[in-house]
Amino acid sequence: MSTRCFLLLLWAVSAQADFFHFDSISNVSTYYFNYIYCNIWEGECQPNQDDATQQVPTRDIWAGFPQDYMSLLHQWYCSLGQCCESGDCRITNNITGLARDLQTKLHGQHLAQSVVLKAIQGFINNPESNKPLTLSFHGWSGTGKNFVARIIADNLYRDGVKSECVRLFIAPFHFPHARLVDTYKGQLREAIRDMVLRCPQTLFIFDEAEKLHPGLIDAIKPFMDHYDNVDGVSYRRAIFLFLSNIGGTTINDVALDFWHSGQNREDIGMEDLEHRLRAETMESQGGFAQSELMSGHLIDFFVPFLPLEYRHIKLCARDAYAARGLETDEATLDEVAKAMLYVPKEERLFSAQGCKSIPQRINFFLP
């Protein structure tokens, strides 16, 4: 609702004076004017929480106030992101939604579904955690690593990846020059510190993490360690996600072995992958293997993303059509899936591109 509508609402409130004490009306009006001035117009003011005009009015002030007017005012104020039944409005922590989205939107990734939900739910339900939550996503491009990161953001934060409590870093884009690593260190530490100070629960996503300079990871290692605080700031309610292609070959080899032996891919367990994935990560080139993040055992969960099969590609195509509000049929989905590249060449078992290119690919099949 616009500020103009809000002022009209206050006029309507004044017209209903028989419902109120005028001192309460004055206090409420002063509070909302101060809020607009300080936050919308960004005036130079220093809110004083001891001052009644700087405190959110309690519902008691509205005793006898018509419900329709009260609902309008409440909706307007909440639309500015300043009120919730509990906690910070920017943070939703919708675990039910997270579980639903992982189950219905993520295809062919039973391990990621299970591990991510368990890790996030455990962290959210344990406000006294002794360290931030650090997850490392591994697998081929297009298997769902970025997609799951977005699902996490969408369900933990009202504004998803656009939330001021969420920050995405893409290694080649944000930190392209090795010679500037010392400059990047300071910038990265400051960015993380500032966000943690602004938000009681933060999410940091590092895409293409294998391309991070080891010194850059070590610069923020204290933020992920078992410390009460670092220079007076606690990072224990932060979540760090590292996304990389490291381990993709190992994951694919395990999936292929299961297929050759006639076992279902859904029978692949973490015990089949975690040790090998950790070992390959330690031996790989780049920031991960050489950083204290690995040697200090600060990654809580290594999350494998399995290669996608033909049937999973069809499901991704179905979702892409649905996202555009388009109806489709099995024949069209088959056409989209058949147009993808599969490996090994002999068996054409796993999609080499995953689902990443599906939204663009279906353009060729539209009438």
Side-chain angles (χ1 to χ4, degrees):
M1 186 183 299
S2 68
T3 302
R4 182 180 178 183
C5 291
F6 169 69
L7 295 176
L8 289 174
L9 177 61
L10 285 185
W11 175 84
V13 168
S14 300
Q16 300 290 332
D18 55 309
F19 286 98
F20 306 100
H21 298 293
F22 281 99
D23 56 346
S24 295
I25 295 292
S26 176
N27 184 54
V28 172
S29 301
T30 303
Y31 169 80
Y32 286 110
F33 174 82
N34 283 337
Y35 176 78
I36 294 172
Y37 180 70
C38 296
N39 295 279
I40 305 303
W41 298 328
E42 298 182 346
E44 296 181 0
C45 61
Q46 297 294 328
N48 179 1
Q49 294 302 316
D50 295 329
D51 183 347
T53 66
Q54 299 293 341
Q55 297 175 355
V56 179
T58 64
R59 188 167 289 270
D60 291 338
I61 290 176
W62 304 100
F65 188 45
Q67 186 65 36
D68 290 342
Y69 285 122
M70 186 171 69
S71 296
L72 283 172
L73 183 57
H74 186 263
Q75 290 172 13
W76 175 83
Y77 181 61
C78 287
S79 71
L80 301 177
Q82 294 298 311
C83 67
C84 288
E85 293 182 1
S86 62
D88 191 311
C89 287
R90 298 167 297 181
I91 302 170
T92 55
N93 287 343
N94 184 3
I95 298 300
T96 301
L98 176 63
R100 181 185 61 249
D101 286 350
L102 289 173
Q103 184 65 38
T104 61
K105 297 180 180 180
L106 181 65
H107 307 302
Q109 303 297 352
H110 67 284
L111 292 176
Q113 290 169 343
S114 174
V115 175
V116 168
L117 181 60
K118 174 184 176 183
I120 297 294
Q121 186 172 24
F123 181 75
I124 297 302
N125 291 340
N126 180 21
E128 303 301 322
S129 174
N130 62 1
K131 71 179 290 295
L133 176 63
T134 304
L135 305 180
S136 187
F137 293 178
H138 298 265
W140 269 358
S141 178
T143 52
K145 301 185 298 294
N146 293 84
F147 186 58
V148 171
R150 290 198 301 272
I151 287 177
I152 292 172
D154 287 342
N155 285 284
L156 297 191
Y157 300 93
R158 179 190 61 197
D159 301 322
V161 292
K162 295 181 179 180
S163 171
E164 60 186 25
C165 300
V166 178
R167 186 69 183 270
L168 168 66
F169 299 99
I170 304 173
F173 178 76
H174 291 96
F175 317 110
H177 305 297
R179 69 179 186 276
L180 298 178
V181 66
D182 289 335
T183 300
Y184 296 150
K185 286 180 184 179
Q187 293 174 343
L188 182 57
R189 282 193 295 253
E190 183 178 359
I192 292 176
R193 182 179 186 275
D194 287 350
M195 183 171 290
V196 168
L197 287 174
R198 290 200 309 269
C199 299
Q201 177 186 294
T202 49
L203 174 64
F204 300 100
I205 305 169
F206 292 85
D207 195 9
E208 300 189 51
E210 73 276 8
K211 298 176 183 177
L212 288 169
H213 191 283
L216 198 57
I217 299 180
D218 289 342
I220 61 172
K221 178 255 183 185
F223 300 160
M224 291 173 273
D225 213 330
H226 299 76
Y227 296 130
D228 289 337
N229 65 79
V230 178
D231 296 330
V233 178
S234 175
Y235 296 85
R236 290 185 169 185
R237 299 315 298 167
I239 301 172
F240 292 87
L241 303 183
F242 293 91
L243 286 53
S244 79
N245 295 332
I246 296 174
T249 300
T250 292
I251 296 169
N252 296 346
D253 287 345
V254 171
L256 191 59
D257 288 344
F258 267 69
W259 186 79
H260 281 149
S261 64
Q263 301 179 76
N264 294 324
R265 65 185 278 132
E266 288 74 19
D267 293 330
I268 299 175
M270 285 301 294
E271 65 277 6
D272 299 305
L273 280 168
E274 188 169 20
H275 177 73
R276 295 175 62 174
L277 190 55
R278 186 184 296 269
E280 182 172 337
T281 304
M282 289 286 289
E283 296 169 1
S284 65
Q285 298 296 317
F288 252 55
Q290 304 169 40
S291 73
E292 296 180 13
L293 188 64
M294 289 298 300
S295 60
H297 304 286
L298 295 179
I299 295 179
D300 298 296
F301 295 93
F302 289 84
V303 185
F305 284 73
L306 302 173
L308 299 179
E309 299 176 5
Y310 183 91
R311 56 193 168 114
H312 305 126
I313 299 301
K314 287 182 63 176
L315 292 173
C316 291
R318 180 202 64 188
D319 293 347
Y321 276 103
R324 298 191 185 187
L326 302 174
E327 295 184 359
T328 187
D329 53 33
E330 286 296 313
T332 302
L333 297 180
D334 277 321
E335 288 296 321
V336 175
K338 288 176 182 177
M340 306 295 285
L341 177 66
Y342 294 85
V343 295
K345 290 183 179 179
E346 300 78 14
E347 289 123 340
R348 288 180 52 83
L349 180 60
F350 302 136
S351 171
Q353 301 140 301
C355 286
K356 181 180 293 186
S357 63
I358 292 293
Q360 293 76 35
R361 179 79 61 171
I362 66 174
N363 289 331
F364 296 101
F365 298 91
L366 294 177

